[in-house]
Amino acid sequence: MQTVNRLDLLRNSVAAFRANGETLGLVPTMGALHEGHLTLVREAKSRADRVAVSIFVNPTQFGPNEDLDAYPRQLAEDSALLQAEGVDLLWAPDAATMYPVGYATSISVAGVSDNFCGASRPGHFDGVATVVCKLFNQVRPDFACFGEKDWQQLAVIRRMARDLDLVAPYADQIIGIATVRESDGLAMSSRNRYLSPASRKAAAALPHAMREAITEIENGAEPGPVLALLHQAILDAGFTSIDYAALADADTLEPIDSRVYAPARLLVAARIDGTRLIDNMPVCPPAGTNG
Ligand SMILES: Nc1ncnc2c1ncn2[C@@H]1O[C@H](COP(=O)(O)OP(=O)(O)OP(=O)(O)O)[C@@H](O)[C@H]1O
Ligand SMILES: CC(C)(CO)[C@@H](O)C(=O)[O-]
Ligand code: BAL
């Protein structure tokens, strides 16, 4: 595996693959790798001759009071994991390489960025869209893999790729990978390591409560009262605050306030032990609902 932290070296490595006619998949990450990330890597490997992984803790997607400084950085350990997976190229730029003095450009994806994490983390998706656009331009992959755990992020990136003609044939080449979960159902996340053992155990109540709510909605219950009970169940489990626990259209991320008529998503962001966790799951319209 080649590890590069300069743009000219990255371009040389990519050019060498392309000179051999090889296809290239990209897996963007912020490091602190776990089985969720490695699942993305394996999917990319199954689809391409070569796989590049980026590790960059992107400062522009963190708010002023968020965990940028605390975010785990463990390049040597991550590098060993990627090497063992047979990754070809690790792109690990520093902040000055990504945002040199005078840097002035930002990408904003209207609509799909507006609600949920976009509302509770102002500017977050501008930071994500901008850095992902830069990564696509730097690596020029044939496709890129992202996790469904960050469902809204995936929708924002698909919209951007389509709108800016980034990865041909556009949104189809943004591959979404199902959320990888711990054995008790909690979605894997680099931030789970912030939790005390007791909070980590309590956090598993979140996906269970979400599944129960979804079953009721899919069986025809009114979403409003079901979501109110879900809020209470999340707080009862030991979460201290909820940014949102709501339904949205699966593609446009428009909030759904009444009945579900088309494929939807239940999206949750809530804090436990000072750590903000997110999760989401599919919701089908109840049988007999006119779509
Ligand atoms: N449990 C998971 N299952 C599938 N994909 C995942 C999972 N966790 C993260 N990913 C995906 O890995 C990529 C890199 O994510 P990132 O480095 O932010 O990791 P993370 O564990 O989501 O960290 P964070 O705690 O910051 O949310 C993203 O596309 C993300 O959706
Ligand atoms: C896509 C991403 C690598 C952009 O920094 C990040 O938001 C992440 O890890 O999900
Ligand atoms: N996985 C999403 C990156 C973030 O929370 O900033």
Side-chain angles (χ1 to χ4, degrees):
M1 182 176 77
Q2 303 166 53
T3 301
V4 292
N5 59 9
R6 276 181 21 209
L7 204 43
D8 57 334
L9 298 178
L10 174 73
R11 294 222 158 104
N12 288 345
S13 299
V14 171
F17 300 152
R18 296 307 196 182
N20 292 333
E22 292 168 329
T23 55
L24 177 62
L26 172 66
V27 180
T29 81
M30 301 206 302
L33 302 180
H34 51 64
E35 208 46 39
H37 300 110
L38 300 182
T39 303
L40 270 55
V41 167
R42 288 171 202 142
E43 179 66 29
K45 265 191 81 73
S46 75
R47 291 170 178 257
D49 300 319
R50 299 284 186 172
V51 172
V53 174
S54 63
I55 295 183
F56 178 61
V57 183
N58 174 36
T60 67
Q61 69 188 72
F62 288 79
N65 298 317
E66 293 185 352
D67 58 341
L68 174 61
D69 293 337
Y71 201 86
R73 289 159 172 89
Q74 45 173 63
L75 192 59
E77 205 177 319
D78 288 347
S79 174
L81 288 171
L82 296 175
Q83 176 104 41
E85 292 294 331
V87 166
D88 301 283
L89 183 57
L90 170 55
W91 170 224
D94 62 15
T97 301
M98 292 299 271
Y99 301 111
V101 173
Y103 185 90
T105 303
S106 177
I107 293 175
S108 189
V109 186
V112 70
S113 298
D114 292 349
N115 298 300
F116 309 109
C117 283
S120 46
R121 303 182 68 185
H124 169 66
F125 286 122
D126 292 2
V128 169
T130 304
V131 80
V132 170
C133 183
K134 283 174 67 70
L135 291 167
F136 285 176
N137 284 333
Q138 291 163 345
V139 178
R140 298 190 179 275
D142 295 293
F143 65 86
C145 294
F146 295 88
E148 290 185 354
K149 193 209 74 177
D150 298 274
W151 184 266
Q152 191 175 12
Q153 167 172 285
L154 183 58
V156 168
I157 292 167
R158 284 199 166 121
R159 184 73 257 165
M160 173 183 70
R162 202 179 285 134
D163 290 354
L164 299 183
D165 311 321
L166 284 185
V167 186
Y170 321 133
D172 292 349
Q173 299 302 359
I174 307 299
I175 315 292
I177 310 293
T179 302
V180 180
R181 296 180 180 277
E182 303 286 356
S183 54
D184 62 2
L186 183 67
M188 287 189 185
S189 164
S190 308
R191 290 185 170 103
N192 290 351
R193 69 183 64 190
Y194 297 154
L195 302 174
S196 69
S199 301
R200 165 64 193 80
K201 208 169 158 203
L206 175 63
H208 292 287
M210 290 173 68
R211 275 201 194 94
E212 280 180 20
I214 289 168
T215 302
E216 291 190 29
I217 292 168
E218 290 183 342
N219 285 339
E222 282 292 326
V226 174
L227 293 176
L229 284 173
L230 173 62
H231 273 76
Q232 196 53 53
I234 294 170
L235 295 173
D236 289 348
F239 284 79
T240 49
S241 65
I242 300 172
D243 283 351
Y244 56 83
L247 292 168
D249 180 277
D251 296 323
T252 63
L253 272 294
E254 272 175 45
I256 296 173
D257 295 324
S258 53
R259 295 190 74 78
V260 174
Y261 291 104
R265 220 70 199 176
L266 176 62
L267 302 150
V268 175
R271 268 193 187 69
I272 184 165
D273 201 9
T275 295
R276 184 176 182 279
L277 300 182
I278 60 172
D279 203 345
N280 72 87
M281 294 177 188
V283 185
C284 298
T289 306
N290 291 325

